[in-house]
Amino acid sequence: MSSPLLEKLSLAVMIADGSGRIVYSNSPAREMTGHNEAEMADTRLGRLFPDLSHACEPMPVEGARKCHTTLRRRDGLGVPVHLCREGINWNGHSYELVCLHDRTEEERNREEVEISKLIVHATDRGILVLDPQYRITHANRAILALLGTEADVLHGMAFSSLLSDTQGDIETLRQFQQHLSHRTGFELDMRTRTPQGRELRLRCAVTPHYATNETLSDIIVVLHDITHDQQLRELQRDVVEALTDQFPLDVMLDFMCRRIELIAPDCMAVAMLGSGPTVRPGGHGNIPLPMLHALEGLEASTTGGACGTAMATAEEVVVADFATETRWPELRATMRAHGIAAEWAVPIILRNGDVAGSFSLYFRNPGAPDVWHRRIVSACVHLAMLAIEQQRSRESIIRLSYTDRLTSLPNRMWLNRRMQELDNRQTAAPISLMIIDLDRFRKIVEALGQGRADQLLLELSRRLRHGIAGRDVLIRTEGDEFVIITEENAPDVTLLAERIIHNLEEPFTVDGIPVSISGSIGICTHIDDQDMEETLRQAYTALAQAKKAGRGCYRFFHPSMTRQADDHVILASSLREAIADRRLNLVYQPQVNVLTGRLHGVEALSRWTDPVLGTIPPGRFIPVAEETGQIRALGAWSLRVACEQMAEWIARGVAVPTVSVNLSAIQFQDPELVSQLATVLHQTNVPPERLIVELTETTMIENFEQTMTTAVAIRNLGIGLSMDDFGTGYSSLANLASLPINEVKIDRSFMKGFGSTGNVRQVVTAIIRIGHTLGMTVIAEGVEEAEQCIQLRAIGCDVIQGYYFAHPMDAESLDTWIRERRFQSALNP
């Protein structure tokens, strides 16, 4: 029997006679059973479907049966199938038509659904299913138990109804919607409140599901209770803040005990402190006063209750039930009289191994501490250890408050006390204050390390002591700053200052390393009817003038210096008005590709000409802007004007590839900087790749973590990032490699002494190789000579910038310069 029509079907079909013998099978049926055509002719239905007891019974004509069963293949494997049997009459004989449909995939899907249901209901994580309108369509047992409610209460409820009506609820919903709009999974923290009034903090892992037509079908929300984690984190944060504010130790411990009782209301807490052989409560919560009195004066031994035993043995002590405890009868009676059934004491061990106290939790119900209690006390024991060590350090500081630890010289506190004494009595001899401050000492610390820098300060203090007269007093006030109180007359003070400057010029040797330093000195002679604090302030004013004069020199205070300080205030006020009225302007200095001679980009530089003050150089008004906080406004103005100019160049087809704008360290700490950049680019319609933001090494060193965050956000906008003045800040190569910088600029100071050989050339070559290794373009600043350009090209520098090509110029002059320079060699300015 054969049928061409049945062979064309994708459905597996077989025909059996009245005895169940298969007389025909099409190709899909043979493939499903694993038998060939000859084997099928010798096979009966009962062999293929052993699970069907009636497989051999003939089907009545025009009768049909449908069922799910298992097909036994030739290789012995069972295949779940949907079986349809129907009786037919052919040439007066009865046959049975059998149709098979493979249910393997269907069974697999069913099993997956069953397993998913099992997981959803068995997991201890709460699970919610939301519809596209954020209504709850399903909640598992874990979330019902967590919220203390029933499924029918949650069903159909809006997800927003779970929020606890706090000020952050609207922001939580806003973030929920914003994250969903990205069509990817996300995490979100929220607050909710149970019907019993208990507030919970939940971390939600949200996964949106989409239908085949890309429409949102449902939202799976997996919730994890982080209430305890948050409570513990907040406790630790608050205690650390209190540590920073240097609260007294007893106040700190009392605060911790009360916070413990707040987040673990089933217990009372007491922090005990060791005081010689006895202990005392250092902090407590709501424990009754008679109990506190009983704890006073206990011995730090195994006879001193659980807390004394914990301190003596340096191990925790658990009293699960005072009713069965035989030790410490008097103390036990006091505890039981006030309803205390159990206690847990944990020693507070300092980092040097000393046991300084203990934490005790008292429970009204018998039992051992649970995991939550242990987590709390573990955190608090560590914080108490920090607080105790801080207290001991504070006491040590008080003892040494009038002595500098490093040099053993009198310190600033001693100076303040001495000045008060001098104010309160008349002195016959004139008194002068000399302030000595090392120049660029911070860079020495960064280069040598703090240890070697301390050695340098020790040697410096010895030289200074040997250089002063017997009645003079040398004080180290801070860091690299020293003060001398002298009763010498003016000529002798001058000789002393010159002797100090000369002594500093002789190199120091630290661990075999020669170190050259210089210092600046400010001097003020005390006059009658003026307090010493004013004299010291005037000495600082003179010191500032000495540093401005070029460092490595001394200056006596003169009243005109005060007038200069006033001029500084006037300059700051005029700068504020100039920024507001947009009276500053930008000039642009070209950057040229050293190989092709083509324009690589321009750097935007601020210039200011005031109608009253005249032309003020950037080296004067930029520091004023940073000191007065106007640098943000100045930077925002520079950024906008530079982008507006770039937009104009683009519109006119002027070939300026990029414009670089300098940003200060203060601006990089501004959380609004990235959005500010995005706004300016959007408003001026300048492509982000046409803008380069320059940051200095100082910015990276002072706050690397914030710099990294800001830098990554800027690069994500598509804006270029350049490291300005590289090589002057002693920055870490690891930090440089971590930042997403695509351009590094060699500081102009390296061009002094740069040649075909020598240390400067080696340093510049190393910087270029480092930059290239990190995939960065390297720009050399301050190039003024053709020979410098030739040497830079020889060692692989990419771009050069400096007076050799052009001074900074306005936009119109730059247009002319570009037209005249087109296609010229890089070595032809």
Side-chain angles (χ1 to χ4, degrees):
M1 181 181 292
S2 63
S3 172
L5 178 61
L6 294 180
E7 286 293 330
K8 295 180 180 180
L9 293 178
S10 60
L11 183 67
V13 177
M14 295 181 291
I15 298 176
D17 61 16
S19 65
R21 184 175 62 85
I22 298 172
V23 297
Y24 170 77
S25 60
N26 66 355
S27 296
R30 293 192 296 274
E31 182 178 351
M32 185 181 295
T33 61
H35 292 284
N36 57 34
E37 189 171 1
E39 290 170 340
M40 287 293 285
D42 294 331
T43 303
R44 296 183 179 274
L45 290 178
R47 180 180 174 187
L48 294 177
F49 306 104
D51 293 344
L52 296 181
S53 58
H54 54 280
C56 296
E57 298 178 4
M59 286 290 300
V61 177
E62 298 181 358
R65 294 177 185 168
K66 297 179 181 179
C67 64
H68 292 168
T69 187
T70 300
L71 167 67
R72 180 61 53 85
R73 288 172 45 85
R74 182 177 182 276
D75 55 14
L77 294 179
V79 178
V81 295
H82 177 76
L83 179 65
C84 179
R85 302 170 60 193
E86 184 173 353
I88 59 175
N89 192 310
W90 181 264
N91 292 333
H93 297 282
S94 294
Y95 294 92
E96 186 175 343
L97 178 65
V98 180
C99 300
L100 303 176
H101 173 67
D102 191 341
R103 295 180 54 252
T104 303
E105 187 65 27
E106 180 182 332
E107 283 294 304
R108 185 180 297 115
N109 291 338
R110 184 188 62 79
E111 290 175 359
E112 289 179 355
V113 170
E114 292 299 323
I115 292 172
S116 297
K117 288 180 179 179
L118 178 63
I119 293 173
V120 166
H121 287 288
T123 181
D124 59 352
R125 297 292 177 93
I127 298 178
L128 293 174
V129 180
L130 312 180
D131 65 15
Q133 287 72 44
Y134 311 154
R135 293 188 297 261
I136 298 172
T137 59
H138 178 76
N140 72 340
R141 285 193 291 265
I143 190 62
L144 297 177
L146 180 64
L147 298 179
T149 187
E150 301 294 333
D152 55 355
V153 174
L154 290 182
H155 188 77
M157 179 188 292
F159 179 69
S160 60
S161 300
L162 293 180
L163 300 178
S164 58
D165 297 324
T166 63
Q167 293 181 349
D169 287 353
I170 296 299
E171 179 60 26
T172 300
L173 282 176
R174 184 180 294 115
Q175 292 180 18
F176 188 84
Q177 294 175 341
Q178 287 177 348
H179 286 307
L180 275 178
S181 66
H182 297 155
R183 303 174 68 86
T184 59
F186 59 92
E187 283 193 352
L188 186 71
D189 290 351
M190 61 173 281
R191 294 172 182 256
T192 189
R193 193 175 297 276
T194 68
Q196 296 76 29
R198 185 167 67 96
E199 185 177 75
L200 298 175
R201 301 181 187 186
L202 305 176
R203 176 153 296 157
C204 309
V206 184
T207 304
H209 285 181
Y210 293 88
T212 54
N213 60 359
E214 297 300 320
T215 60
L216 182 64
S217 60
D218 50 45
I219 306 163
I220 308 299
V221 183
V222 180
L223 302 106
H224 174 50
D225 185 1
I226 59 170
T227 306
H228 283 171
D229 294 339
Q230 291 291 92
Q231 289 174 336
L232 204 54
R233 192 174 296 115
E234 289 172 0
L235 184 151
Q236 292 171 314
R237 180 199 63 204
D238 292 344
V239 172
V240 169
E241 288 182 2
L243 282 170
T244 304
D245 293 336
Q246 296 190 344
F247 280 88
L249 178 60
D250 285 6
V251 173
M252 290 278 297
L253 296 176
D254 196 60
F255 170 76
M256 276 193 276
C257 290
R258 294 186 181 278
R259 286 296 296 268
I260 289 173
E261 293 179 2
L262 183 64
I263 62 178
D266 60 336
C267 68
M268 292 179 287
V270 175
M272 304 296 292
L273 293 176
S275 180
T278 61
V279 299
R280 67 172 182 86
H284 60 88
N286 294 314
I287 196 165
L289 282 177
M291 285 181 56
L292 282 178
H293 294 154
L295 296 173
E296 286 280 359
L298 288 175
E299 293 184 359
S301 67
T302 54
T303 63
C307 56
T309 302
M311 293 179 63
T313 62
E315 295 180 353
E316 69 171 46
V317 177
V318 177
V319 180
D321 192 348
F322 274 117
T324 59
E325 178 60 57
T326 59
R327 295 171 291 179
W328 325 301
E330 293 183 5
L331 188 61
R332 187 179 71 243
T334 302
M335 297 297 174
R336 296 189 63 186
H338 289 86
I340 302 300
E343 180 184 359
W344 176 42
V346 179
I348 301 172
I349 304 175
L350 304 185
R351 280 176 284 197
N352 64 2
D354 291 348
V355 180
S358 69
F359 256 109
S360 289
L361 296 188
Y362 296 92
F363 303 89
R364 297 197 179 275
N365 296 314
D370 60 20
V371 173
W372 176 225
H373 295 125
R374 289 187 175 275
R375 285 186 63 192
I376 295 173
V377 171
S378 175
C380 288
V381 163
H382 177 73
L383 294 169
M385 177 268 290
L386 295 177
I388 293 170
E389 290 185 344
Q390 184 188 70
Q391 173 74 7
R392 292 188 176 185
S393 297
R394 191 181 300 125
E395 293 170 352
S396 176
I397 290 170
I398 292 173
R399 289 192 298 269
L400 301 172
S401 59
Y402 293 116
T403 304
D404 177 59
R405 283 196 197 180
L406 178 64
T407 63
S408 299
L409 294 173
N411 60 12
R412 180 172 287 277
M413 288 186 67
W414 186 94
L415 174 63
N416 293 338
R417 186 183 67 175
R418 180 60 178 158
M419 290 195 303
Q420 290 176 359
E421 293 173 354
L422 292 172
D423 281 335
N424 294 331
R425 64 184 177 88
Q426 295 293 327
T427 58
I431 295 175
S432 295
L433 295 181
M434 304 178 65
I435 303 176
I436 307 165
D437 186 81
L438 297 185
D439 301 326
R440 298 184 175 89
F441 184 70
R442 179 178 176 180
K443 292 187 178 180
I444 294 176
V445 175
E446 293 168 349
L448 299 180
Q450 190 62 56
R452 290 194 178 101
D454 286 347
Q455 294 178 42
L456 178 63
L457 290 173
L458 276 170
E459 179 59 29
L460 172 63
S461 67
R462 295 189 191 101
R463 287 194 191 182
L464 292 176
R465 266 190 298 222
H466 293 153
I468 63 178
R471 297 183 62 185
D472 296 343
V473 181
L474 177 65
I475 304 129
R476 185 193 179 204
T477 51
E478 60 182 353
D480 59 325
E481 181 183 280
F482 295 82
V483 173
I484 295 175
I485 300 178
T486 179
E487 295 182 2
E488 303 290 340
N489 55 33
D492 290 335
V493 171
T494 300
L495 290 175
L496 176 59
E498 290 178 348
R499 187 163 63 247
I500 292 171
I501 295 294
H502 177 72
N503 286 340
L504 291 179
E505 290 176 351
E506 183 180 348
F508 291 78
T509 301
V510 180
D511 285 348
I513 303 172
V515 181
S516 297
I517 64 174
S518 65
S520 302
I521 305 176
I523 310 169
C524 184
T525 300
H526 180 66
I527 60 176
D528 294 338
D529 300 325
Q530 176 177 286
D531 60 33
M532 291 298 296
E533 186 66 34
E534 178 63 18
T535 302
L536 183 64
R537 188 187 68 80
Q538 292 174 349
Y540 274 112
T541 302
L543 175 65
Q545 291 299 316
K547 287 186 173 293
K548 287 184 179 179
R551 307 176 189 269
C553 62
Y554 63 90
R555 289 290 183 269
F556 281 86
F557 174 77
H558 188 274
S560 63
M561 294 179 180
T562 302
R563 290 195 294 273
Q564 291 180 17
D566 294 339
D567 292 342
H568 181 87
V569 175
I570 294 172
L571 185 66
S573 177
S574 299
L575 177 60
R576 183 175 287 104
E577 294 177 0
I579 295 173
D581 298 339
R582 298 190 70 160
R583 293 204 302 266
L584 284 80
N585 65 293
L586 288 184
V587 294
Y588 305 90
Q589 187 169 34
Q591 301 166 333
V592 178
N593 186 294
V594 75
L595 293 178
T596 66
R598 294 182 179 276
L599 183 64
H600 173 78
V602 297
E603 180 180 1
L605 303 167
S606 300
R607 295 292 184 265
W608 178 26
T609 301
D610 188 83
V612 176
L613 303 175
T615 300
I616 299 99
R620 187 179 174 198
F621 72 80
I622 294 296
V624 171
E626 291 179 336
E627 292 171 13
T628 59
Q630 299 182 61
I631 193 67
R632 287 187 175 89
L634 179 60
W637 170 84
S638 300
L639 177 65
R640 178 167 292 280
V641 172
C643 287
E644 289 174 350
Q645 182 59 59
M646 175 56 79
E648 181 184 334
W649 282 327
I650 293 173
R652 293 192 292 109
V654 179
V656 178
T658 62
V659 59
S660 300
V661 179
N662 290 282
L663 296 184
S664 72
I666 295 175
Q667 288 172 277
F668 258 79
Q669 296 172 12
D670 187 351
E672 301 297 325
L673 174 61
V674 177
S675 61
Q676 199 177 80
L677 287 166
T679 300
V680 170
L681 289 176
H682 175 72
Q683 292 176 349
T684 58
N685 202 28
V686 170
E689 63 271 14
R690 304 291 287 271
L691 174 65
I692 294 178
V693 168
E694 295 190 10
L695 72 156
T696 62
E697 279 193 282
T698 304
T699 304
M700 178 174 66
I701 295 169
E702 290 181 351
N703 194 340
F704 180 73
E705 184 176 345
Q706 176 64 36
T707 301
M708 171 64 81
T709 302
T710 304
V712 170
I714 290 174
R715 291 293 288 136
N716 287 340
L717 290 176
I719 298 171
L721 203 59
S722 176
M723 173 66 72
D724 194 18
D725 299 340
F726 185 74
T728 62
Y730 302 96
S731 60
S732 164
L733 289 179
N735 289 349
L736 179 65
S738 300
L739 285 169
I741 294 172
N742 57 311
E743 183 178 281
V744 61
K745 301 182 76 174
I746 302 172
D747 186 67
R748 65 183 65 251
S749 62
F750 286 100
M751 293 302 103
K752 297 177 182 178
F754 176 74
S756 59
T757 60
N759 293 336
V760 176
R761 178 186 175 92
Q762 293 177 2
V763 172
V764 172
T765 302
I767 293 174
I768 292 172
R769 289 175 178 172
I770 290 169
H772 288 169
T773 301
L774 298 176
M776 301 174 184
T777 300
V778 181
I779 299 177
E781 294 184 294
V783 179
E784 299 184 2
E785 302 171 3
E787 184 62 27
Q788 292 173 337
C789 184
I790 293 171
Q791 295 297 333
L792 286 167
R793 184 169 65 178
I795 61 176
C797 185
D798 302 306
V799 179
I800 47 182
Q801 175 183 345
Y803 292 169
Y804 174 69
F805 292 108
H807 287 66
M809 63 191 84
D810 59 28
E812 183 178 350
S813 300
L814 181 65
D815 290 356
T816 303
W817 184 88
I818 292 173
R819 288 194 301 272
E820 294 175 351
R821 243 202 93 73
R822 186 170 297 171
F823 306 124
Q824 290 188 17
S825 167
L827 297 178
N828 184 4

